[in-house]
Each structure stands twice: as C-alpha cells, then as structure tokens.
Amino acid sequence: MTSTGGESTGDRLPGRYWRLWWAGAIDNVGTGALVTALPLLAVTLTTDPRLVSVVAAASYLPWLMFALPAGAVVDRYGRIGLMQTAQVFQATVVTAVAVLVAVGGMGILSLTVAAFLVGVGQVVFGIASQSVVPQIVERPLLARANAHQYLATTIGQSFIGPPVGSLLFGLAIALPFGLDVAALAASVLLLTTLRGGSPSQDDDAATGPAGAPRISEGLRWLAGHRLLRTLALLLGVNTFCFQLGNVTLVLLATDELGVTAAGYGTLLAVAAVGSVLGGVLTARLVNVFGQIPVLVVALAVNAAAFVLLGLAPDVWTLAGLLALSGLATAIWNVVTVTLRQELVPHSLLGRVNSVYRLVGWGLIPLGALAGGLIAHEISVRAGYPVAGALRALALLASLPILILAHRQGQQPSST
C-alpha cells in the first residue's frame, strides 16, 4: 500500500511533515510538564494513596471508553482539524485547572474529572496524529518519520517537560498548567499551516456515516489480519507486564537501593536515554535486517531485561537495564506504528488504530493491580521476573506467525 497524497521528496521528509513534527514536539513538552504536575498537585490535596491512584487511573480510562468511537470519528472527519479541536478542548480544561488552583478552589474530585477530560482529548489527538502521518509521508519514509515522532515524544515528555514542570510547580502550582496551555496553543497554530490542501493531500478522511457499523469495520479488519492482530495481542501482554513490573519501581529504587527523590528522577532520565537511542537506530536497523527480525529481537531483549531487573544488585545496574528496556520499547513502538500505517487501508486507519490501542492498553490497570499484589505478597522485586517470563512466553507463542509474516513480506491483505 502506498501513501495517499504524500509529497514525493526522494530521501527527504517533506516540509509539511516537519511542521507536523514541530507541532507534536511542542505539545509533548507541555504534556511532560502536565503529567508531572498532576500527581504533585494530587498529593497536595490528599495523603490517601488510593485517591492519588484514582487521578492516575482517570487519565487512562478514556482509552477504554472512547477509543473505538474516536477511531470512527477520525476516519470520518479531517484528521488535522480533529487534532486541533482536541488540543483546544484540552487547553480549556487545563486553563480551568490553573484558575481553580490560583483561587484555591481545586479539590481531588475536580482534579480527577480534569484528568479524565484531558485524557479524552489525548485519545482523539493520539489516534488522529498516528493516522495522519501516511497522508503526508511516502511509505518508504514512514519508519524514519515515526522514529522522529518517537524521539520528539521521548525528549518532550521525559527530558524537557518533567524537570521544567516540577521547577515551575515549585515556584507556583499554577505555572506548569499555564505552560501546557501555551504549548497547546502553539501546536494548534502550527497545525493550521497544514490545512487547506486538496482532499487527497490534506487531512480529509473517508466520508460516510459514523457510528457502530463503521466501528465494526475496524474490528473486523484487525481481527482478520493475522500479523496485526498478533501484534495487538502482544502489545496487550507487554503493557500488562510493563505495569506489573514497574508499578513498584519507585519502592525498589528508594527503599531497597537507597535512591533519593532527585536520584529517582535521574534514574528515569537514564531509561529515556535508551528510548532516544532506540528512536535513532530503528530506521537503520530495519533497513539492514527487516521489520520482523528487528521486532523479534526487541521483544526478546525486553523480556530478558525485565527478568534481570528483578535481580539488579545496585542502582547502576538497575539504570542500565532500564535503559536497555527503553531502547527495546522504542524499537517496538516505531516498527509497529510503521507496520500499521503500511498495511491498513487509509480509509480504515483511524478505526484500526483505535481497536489496536484498545486491545493494547486495556490491560494496563490490571497489570498495575497484579504488580501491587505480587509486591505485597512476595517482594517489590518479584514482579519483574514474572513479567519477563510472561513476555518471553508470549513471544514464543507468536513466533510462528511473525516468521510467516516475514517470509510473506508483510503483505497488506488479510490472512
């Protein structure tokens, strides 16, 4: 399948892509500040860890509730326009948070509702942004484009946004929320420069009535495509395992290995270094070895890293293994996003992406719960080797399908 309406620029990514990239990069800085400020604000409102966790859960709940209808909307209306609408909606909610904080009217219930509403906007924006890239970039350049997108996400949400957000929070609680609003506004303005092209070259999607019949098309298509169906299920297992292990990372680092609060932030930044390296290397690795072999190796490395994380004797070993896991995760993300963009028909991409993300992220809350139970009953280290073993078993079970897909060249027809 070739890109519809992408600009032919040889080996260079087109200018329209870079405007999209900058819009996402700026948005990611604001998001990084926001996701750091939300839990910090929550702990100023309550000392009950259950209530703090409710705020975090509220931000993921929209993926379970609205991913499927959002996919239908993305395939019905202009995708860039939807991205802008979602950001304006988020900016309105975050502005309300900043005002309530400034006047002393914020409570834990209000914060939970705000986290949920911001999550709704992120569902629409996330599905639309992944679905619009193949409309701008030719198929041979998709891996490179997605790698750059992943780098922007990692740098903005892991390196720039969190330290800036925490610094601003220390100066005045409302400031990081104001930063996010400014970032959203700048992103909306940049996205405006991408509008106004022809239907095949701009963000217009397939027309027709939205609703349940259109949602079912995405469900049927993904269920009928063996490779992408397998990858969606693998993602579900891996996100479950990620939460199962990492839900007690802060306790492992601080209680058992003696890491300070500042050192814990540095530890997370080291993991982000691995993610950046993965984003840089993925396109080159795919060009040399192919998508499926690179994907299989990344899954195997992540499984091994999780087993070893539970055995880490010191913080330096822990940091190195987290970076290795981050590298493998980045490779997985770039390759699987590219595969969906290559294999899914353009008119179905939003709906298939929504089903894929629903399957892939639906087990996140259960993974966190399982990790907490294992840590309580056994130890804070135990979740990692259990998660690593589950990841390895899932990879072994899916290997025949992945090998067959590699031999068939990942054809876009259903199998």
Side-chain angles (χ1 to χ4, degrees), residues 35 37-43 45-46 48-62 107-116:
V35 299
L38 281 175
L40 290 174
L41 176 56
V43 297
L45 300 173
T46 179
D48 188 334
R50 295 170 298 179
L51 293 178
V52 174
S53 67
V54 165
V55 175
S59 64
Y60 283 104
L61 187 58
I108 196 67
L109 177 59
S110 301
L111 185 61
T112 301
V113 172
F116 176 82

Side-chain angles (χ1 to χ4, degrees), residues 43-110:
V43 297
T44 68
L45 300 173
T46 179
T47 58
D48 188 334
R50 295 170 298 179
L51 293 178
V52 174
S53 67
V54 165
V55 175
S59 64
Y60 283 104
L61 187 58
W63 284 101
L64 295 175
M65 296 178 64
F66 302 118
L68 295 183
V73 171
V74 164
D75 281 342
R76 173 62 180 86
Y77 300 101
R79 289 165 180 167
I80 291 174
L82 283 172
M83 292 167 67
Q84 292 178 297
T85 301
Q87 289 184 314
V88 170
F89 176 74
Q90 291 178 76
T92 302
V93 174
V94 177
T95 298
V97 172
V99 171
L100 286 173
V101 167
V103 301
M106 176 60 70
I108 196 67
L109 177 59
S110 301

Side-chain angles (χ1 to χ4, degrees), residues 249-259 310 312-314 379-382:
L249 173 61
V250 64
L251 295 175
L252 171 59
T254 57
D255 289 356
E256 293 208 6
L257 299 180
V259 176
D314 54 59
S379 74
V380 296
R381 292 176 175 267

Side-chain angles (χ1 to χ4, degrees), residues 125-170:
F125 182 87
I127 294 173
S129 63
Q130 283 193 353
S131 302
V132 81
V133 171
Q135 296 174 250
I136 296 175
V137 177
E138 295 283 358
R139 177 173 174 173
L141 299 178
L142 281 175
R144 186 187 305 175
N146 288 320
H148 285 302
Q149 296 282 89
Y150 191 82
L151 282 173
T153 300
T154 301
I155 292 171
Q157 294 191 20
S158 299
F159 284 115
I160 301 177
V164 172
S166 59
L167 175 63
L168 292 176
F169 189 91

Side-chain angles (χ1 to χ4, degrees), residues 5 19 95 98 104 121 135 144 152 257 308 322 346 350 357 375 391:
R19 293 198 295 276
T95 298
Q135 296 174 250
R144 186 187 305 175
L257 299 180
L308 295 174
L322 286 173
H346 172 68
R357 297 284 285 272
R391 282 181 155 181

Side-chain angles (χ1 to χ4, degrees), residues 330-344:
I331 292 173
W332 160 274
N333 283 328
V334 173
V335 172
T336 54
V337 168
T338 302
L339 278 169
R340 294 202 304 277
Q341 292 170 345
E342 290 178 345
L343 301 178
V344 180

Side-chain angles (χ1 to χ4, degrees), residues 318-382:
L318 184 69
L321 290 170
L322 286 173
L324 182 63
S325 176
L327 185 149
T329 300
I331 292 173
W332 160 274
N333 283 328
V334 173
V335 172
T336 54
V337 168
T338 302
L339 278 169
R340 294 202 304 277
Q341 292 170 345
E342 290 178 345
L343 301 178
V344 180
H346 172 68
S347 61
L348 284 169
L349 188 54
R351 282 163 288 171
V352 174
N353 272 337
S354 69
V355 178
Y356 187 96
R357 297 284 285 272
L358 177 63
V359 174
W361 289 25
L363 295 179
I364 287 178
L366 294 178
L369 177 61
L373 290 174
I374 290 174
H376 181 266
E377 296 296 329
I378 305 175
S379 74
V380 296
R381 292 176 175 267

